[in-house]
Amino acid sequence: SRNAYRTRTRTAFEAALPEQPKRRRPSFLAIPGNHDWYDGLTGFLREFCQGGCLGGWRLEQSRSYFAVRLKCDWWLLGIDIALDSRIDSPQQQYFTKVLSYMRNRTPHRKPRVILCTAKPVWLDNPRHSSDARRNLAFFLDLVNEFGSDVKLILSGDVHHYSRYQGPGGR
């Protein structure tokens, strides 16, 4: 139910960083996981994309994906891969603009990217479809096309820490 989603989602974050007066709130950014898509993303958008606060955090994003400039030429990109469907047109246009901005902002250096995605689709797991792998590959190609370099991919869904390194140290 709407109330159960709100309680289960917000209570943990509010306990982790309770609201504290006179303190600058850090930003809170989120990408939807598979459970967020059961209701067509309505609950996720209602809880995380309407502004306001979540405990001691500021909710700043207005869509289910985001781009944030970190220090120097580092960027944090969060993509929404939905339920293995193709990255939709508005999201693709958003990241095309962001990647173009990144390239123009640092013409003499490759912007470095930390990419957040909901699940580790590169694992050999029957739960991860070949469509999901193609979607991630498509996005990585887009990032490379604009002269940026993905240095790290963070994901959830496995419920424990794992580190994967491919051929060539990637």
Side-chain angles (χ1 to χ4, degrees):
S1 73
R2 180 179 184 170
N3 194 39
Y5 182 95
R6 182 177 185 86
T7 301
R8 288 179 180 171
T9 302
R10 295 183 76 89
T11 303
F13 291 110
E14 289 167 346
L17 184 62
E19 187 175 346
Q20 298 173 13
K22 299 183 182 178
R23 180 175 172 206
R24 186 178 184 280
R25 295 169 188 243
S27 297
F28 183 98
L29 301 163
I31 52 174
N34 59 342
H35 296 283
D36 294 306
W37 276 95
Y38 289 143
D39 68 350
L41 208 58
T42 302
F44 180 89
L45 294 173
R46 183 176 49 247
E47 294 302 321
F48 298 113
C49 301
Q50 303 294 317
C53 298
L54 174 59
W57 283 286
R58 277 188 333 265
L59 299 172
E60 296 184 12
Q61 71 191 86
S62 60
R63 44 181 69 92
S64 60
Y65 43 90
F66 60 83
V68 177
R69 183 173 185 262
L70 303 173
K71 294 190 180 239
C72 301
D73 54 346
W74 281 91
W75 288 77
L76 179 66
L77 305 181
I79 61 172
D80 179 1
I81 58 171
L83 296 174
D84 297 343
S85 63
R86 195 161 188 278
I87 293 173
D88 65 1
S89 182
Q91 184 175 184
Q92 188 175 340
Q93 290 171 6
Y94 171 84
F95 281 112
T96 298
K97 286 180 185 173
V98 167
L99 291 164
S100 179
Y101 174 82
M102 289 165 54
R103 178 178 57 196
N104 294 335
R105 186 158 174 87
T106 57
H108 306 297
R109 296 184 311 272
K110 271 187 155 189
R112 295 172 287 183
V113 172
I114 299 169
L115 178 63
C116 299
T117 182
K119 59 186 177 180
V121 298
W122 53 87
L123 295 178
D124 188 20
N125 184 325
R127 291 182 347 159
H128 303 140
S129 73
S130 58
D131 286 342
R133 283 191 213 54
R134 276 194 299 276
N135 292 337
L136 181 62
F138 169 81
F139 190 81
L140 293 174
D141 288 345
L142 184 66
V143 170
N144 289 331
E145 213 176 285
F146 278 89
S148 294
D149 190 17
V150 175
K151 295 291 190 182
L152 177 68
I153 302 174
L154 298 174
S155 85
D157 195 49
V158 178
H159 304 289
H160 63 278
Y161 173 78
S162 298
R163 181 175 189 272
Y164 299 94
Q165 186 170 324
R170 183 156 194 142

